[in-house]
């Protein structure tokens, strides 16, 4: 899967491929186009519904505005509604990069999110699952807990918008059709020996 251009496909699945098809740095500069940094290790995956188009556009914009772009932003539509597990499994099965990062259509990345996540991977290349703290706007809620071995077997505490090694997801067989399928996936990953690490944002101004 390439990393060139902005490619909206006229089908139920759409891929946003980072704006980094580069004919050469000099050519970009002469044309006045921005030089975009792309990390080809990462696909961002978003699940959505047809009626959430406005919400999805904000989500897409938060990925387009990243300081470091993912190779691909893959969007999968649940055309029926209520089919999270099958939609998620279809989307992640299409990933061709070593890692994927889930991003719900009603959530936004901070502008340096991908940079932070891939920085963690640079520092700890053997890690399998990475997440960061997040905030819920308008509510006094945040997710900032460090990894605590065994706690995932008791309760969820890691946000669903996490980065996972694709081969780990495949080894586990993807999401299972059950309530709290994302928590179940993480609990099974822990049991299988996956390595977890919470990333930290640098100050953003």
């Amino acid at each position: 899967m390439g990393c060139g251009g902005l490619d909206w496909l006229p089908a139920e699945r759409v891929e946003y491929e980072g704006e980094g098809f580069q004919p050469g740095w000099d050519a970009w500069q002469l044309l006045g186009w921005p030089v975009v940094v792309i990390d080809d290790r990462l696909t961002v995956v978003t699940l959505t519904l047809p009626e959430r188009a406005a919400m999805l556009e904000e989500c897409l914009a938060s990925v387009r505005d990243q300081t470091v772009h993912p190779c691909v932003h893959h969007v999968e539509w649940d055309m029926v509604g209520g089919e999270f597990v099958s939609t998620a499994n279809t989307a992640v099965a299409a990933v061709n990069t070593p890692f994927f990062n889930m991003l719900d259509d009603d959530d936004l990345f901070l502008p340096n999110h991908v940079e932070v996540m891939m920085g963690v991977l640079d520092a700890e290349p053997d890690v399998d699952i990475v997440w960061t703290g997040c905030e819920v706007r308008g509510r006094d809620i945040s997710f900032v807990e460090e990894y605590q071995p065994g706690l995932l077997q008791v309760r969820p505490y890691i946000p669903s918008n996490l980065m996972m090694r694709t081969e780990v997801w495949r080894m586990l067989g993807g999401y299972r059709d059950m309530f709290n399928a994302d928590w179940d996936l993480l609990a099974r990953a822990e049991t299988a020996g996956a390595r977890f690490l919470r990333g930290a944002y640098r100050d953003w101004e």
Side-chain angles (χ1 to χ4, degrees):
M1 192 172 295
C3 298
L6 181 61
D7 188 12
W8 295 103
L9 302 179
E12 293 182 2
R13 184 184 306 116
V14 170
E15 293 173 356
Y16 163 71
E17 300 190 354
E19 303 167 10
F21 180 73
Q22 298 170 0
W25 298 106
D26 292 342
W28 273 78
Q29 292 168 350
L30 288 171
L31 291 169
W33 295 345
V35 173
V36 177
V37 178
I38 297 173
D39 197 305
D40 62 7
R41 295 171 292 179
L42 183 67
T43 295
V44 173
V45 175
T46 296
L47 314 179
T48 192
L49 296 165
E51 61 269 24
R52 294 164 71 111
M55 194 176 292
L56 175 62
E57 181 52 41
E58 286 190 77
C59 170
L60 294 173
S62 79
V63 177
R64 289 196 298 266
D65 292 341
Q66 289 295 296
T67 54
V68 173
H69 285 226
C71 181
V72 176
H73 187 179
H74 180 93
V75 180
E76 192 82 27
W77 273 266
D78 177 357
M79 303 304 291
V80 177
E83 298 292 334
F84 165 80
V85 171
S86 61
T87 304
N89 283 334
T90 297
V92 181
V95 170
N96 288 321
T97 52
F99 287 85
F100 67 93
N101 196 137
M102 300 301 292
L103 175 62
D104 294 343
D105 64 356
D106 58 350
D107 290 335
L108 306 174
F109 280 163
L110 289 177
N112 60 333
H113 177 82
V114 171
E115 181 181 354
V116 168
M117 299 296 263
M118 304 319 289
V120 172
L121 188 58
D122 289 338
E124 300 287 345
D126 292 333
V127 72
D128 297 308
I129 296 169
V130 182
W131 72 101
T132 62
C134 64
E135 296 182 356
V136 180
R137 291 180 178 176
R139 301 171 64 188
D140 187 21
I141 298 176
S142 62
F143 297 92
V144 295
E145 291 185 65
E146 299 286 350
Y147 175 59
Q148 301 178 51
L151 186 57
L152 280 168
Q153 309 304 317
V154 179
R155 66 172 176 87
Y157 65 94
I158 296 175
S160 59
N161 293 335
L162 53 80
M163 183 174 75
M164 176 177 280
R165 192 179 294 273
T166 308
E167 67 180 27
V168 170
W169 181 89
R170 292 198 170 106
M171 179 267 294
L172 294 170
Y175 296 96
R176 295 195 295 198
D177 191 6
M178 60 187 301
F179 182 69
N180 275 339
D182 46 0
W183 172 24
D184 169 72
L185 180 69
L186 291 176
R188 288 187 288 126
E190 181 178 61
T191 299
R195 291 147 294 188
F196 291 72
L197 185 63
R198 185 179 74 85
Y201 284 112
R202 59 179 171 82
D203 291 338
W204 183 266
E205 297 180 358

